[in-house]
Amino acid sequence: MPNLSGDPQRVAWRVVDEHVPTRLPRGVYRFQVMALPGAAGPAQRLEATGDHETIRSNAAAVIAEAMRRFGEVSLLDLQLSRVVPYATAARPF
């Protein structure tokens, strides 16, 4: 993915729109991405978690924060995984 720059919030939502479906099965999800700062700093793994309703906004917040912190950034190895099905997550302990 090319270096990302510009308004962090808009760019983050564009990335999320491209990589995270708008309709997900119920459950708990993890979004992971490697961020490589434009200033050639060390790569950092960013992670967001959330349920099927909040994972998109949580992922956008993580990407926007990385852009604010690093300025220009490249995102590598974007992964979305379902870590807990909703029925399991909703059970009381």
Side-chain angles (χ1 to χ4, degrees):
M1 178 170 270
N3 285 351
L4 303 175
S5 61
D7 177 48
Q9 202 64 28
R10 282 189 175 164
V11 172
W13 275 105
R14 188 181 78 228
V15 171
V16 167
D17 285 342
E18 292 173 4
H19 296 283
V20 181
T22 55
R23 300 189 86 155
L24 293 166
R26 295 172 68 110
V28 177
Y29 290 84
R30 178 181 299 130
F31 176 80
Q32 295 179 316
V33 62
M34 288 297 286
L36 184 62
Q44 295 188 13
R45 180 162 298 280
L46 308 175
E47 184 175 299
T49 57
D51 66 13
H52 56 283
E53 296 176 343
T54 61
I55 189 61
R56 287 175 52 84
S57 60
N58 293 351
V62 165
I63 294 168
E65 178 58 31
M67 290 183 68
R68 282 191 277 280
R69 195 172 350 143
F70 303 134
E72 192 172 271
V73 66
S74 290
L75 301 179
L76 312 167
D77 192 29
L78 288 89
Q79 298 177 10
L80 177 69
S81 56
R82 187 173 173 192
V83 293
V84 180
Y86 191 74
T88 304
R91 284 189 201 140
F93 293 99

